[in-house]
Amino acid sequence: MLFGASMGASEISRLHAKTLEQRASIEQTRREAQREVNALSARMGELQAQANRLNALGERLTRVGKLGDGEFDFTAPVGLGGPGPVQDMPARGLHEGMDAVDAELRESGRQLSVLEALLFDQQLERAALPSRSPVASSYITSGYGSRADPFGGGRAFHKGIDFDARSGDPVMTVADGVVSYSGYRSGYGNVVEVDHGNGYVTRYAHNSRITVKVGDLVRVGQQIAKAGSTGRSTGAHVHFEVWENGRVVNPRKFLGDMGVTRG
């Protein structure tokens, strides 16, 4: 009986020790699993941050590219599906999947960044192209080309377009650029010339006063002078010329439908 009791106590002790060992092993496994979950959570956070950045960039490009409303909705869920069956995914497979998603997000980010740079360059190019009237709410009093000279008759070639204006009216640059000339020029009176950096130069003449100097950076619609009648002029107006690669061209094609009419 004593022997049996001794054997029973020994077995209980062994089972107790084994139970403690199993508990320790389970706790170790739990800690390792938690570390794995924490690592996956951190990686998921990184991927989510990348996705958020791409969504923001995509929305910005949609606005810059003036894409139609709803054409690209970066907040709508993506449609997914498949026939099955579904199997458990091993941790290694999940890591590999995240690595693949990470690579795709990085490549998409690189491509979108290149697209953003291209769209920005196009914006700059459009902003540097003459596309508006140099005088607000005006009309054309004399067009480009051959005309009767207003001083003493005869025919003369008119290099620009004349816009009706009152003395002191703001004269505005028609595109972004840098002031390349600011001063008096025979026949033109007080003149401002703006170099737009893409082969185009615009000229604004007969001003009563100039408000910019050579080297100034000017934005489309910015006042550069005040209208007047200096130089060879019969009255207050704005003489506007466009030069393309060193040759004078008809400014009318750049005005578009800006509410400018012929008087």
Side-chain angles (χ1 to χ4, degrees):
M1 291 179 64
L2 291 174
F3 178 75
S6 177
M7 287 292 294
S10 177
E11 182 65 15
I12 292 173
S13 179
R14 186 184 67 79
L15 291 175
H16 181 67
K18 188 173 182 179
T19 300
L20 292 177
E21 182 181 342
Q22 288 175 342
R23 286 180 178 176
S25 178
I26 291 172
E27 179 62 23
Q28 178 66 22
T29 302
R30 188 194 66 78
R31 286 197 296 267
E32 291 175 357
Q34 187 60 54
R35 283 197 295 270
E36 186 77 13
V37 170
N38 291 343
L40 290 174
S41 177
R43 189 67 184 280
M44 184 66 72
E46 293 174 359
L47 295 178
Q48 185 62 55
Q50 288 190 54
N52 290 340
R53 185 181 68 84
L54 291 182
N55 286 341
L57 179 56
E59 290 174 357
R60 187 163 67 249
L61 293 182
T62 299
R63 291 193 299 271
V64 172
K66 296 182 179 179
L67 302 177
D69 291 341
E71 187 169 353
F72 292 94
D73 188 351
F74 292 91
T75 61
V78 178
L80 300 172
V86 178
Q87 298 178 344
D88 291 337
M89 177 180 288
R92 180 177 179 181
L94 185 57
H95 278 292
E96 291 174 352
M98 285 188 167
D99 288 341
V101 171
D102 183 43
E104 291 175 1
L105 287 175
R106 291 181 186 277
E107 178 62 17
S108 296
R110 186 189 67 80
Q111 293 175 352
L112 284 175
S113 295
V114 171
L115 179 59
E116 181 182 36
L118 291 175
L119 287 175
F120 182 69
D121 288 344
Q122 289 179 358
Q123 272 195 316
L124 291 180
E125 187 175 347
R126 286 196 298 268
L129 186 68
S131 60
R132 59 172 293 158
S133 168
V135 187
S137 303
S138 183
Y139 59 88
I140 296 172
T141 57
S142 182
Y144 173 88
S146 182
R147 69 173 184 178
D149 185 75
F151 296 92
R155 298 199 67 79
F157 186 81
H158 190 221
K159 293 182 179 180
I161 288 178
D162 290 341
F163 291 90
D164 178 71
R166 295 171 299 180
S167 184
D169 281 350
V171 179
M172 300 167 290
T173 180
V174 299
D176 292 353
V178 177
V179 177
S180 56
Y181 184 87
S182 175
Y184 194 88
R185 181 170 285 171
S186 178
Y188 286 100
N190 293 323
V191 177
V192 175
E193 292 180 3
V194 179
D195 189 335
H196 304 287
N198 53 4
Y200 289 103
V201 174
T202 51
R203 177 180 292 166
Y204 313 78
H206 304 304
N207 304 295
S208 61
R209 186 162 69 90
I210 295 172
T211 59
V212 292
K213 61 183 184 301
V214 172
D216 283 351
L217 176 66
V218 291
R219 299 295 186 186
V220 58
Q222 178 179 332
Q223 178 178 296
I224 56 175
K226 292 186 177 296
S229 185
T230 58
R232 196 169 183 266
S233 170
T234 62
H237 70 287
V238 175
H239 174 84
F240 173 64
E241 294 180 11
V242 176
W243 292 73
E244 181 179 4
N245 297 318
R247 296 174 55 230
V248 68
V249 296
N250 189 346
R252 192 67 182 87
K253 67 178 182 178
F254 298 105
L255 298 178
D257 185 14
M258 302 295 293
V260 176
T261 60
R262 175 176 288 278

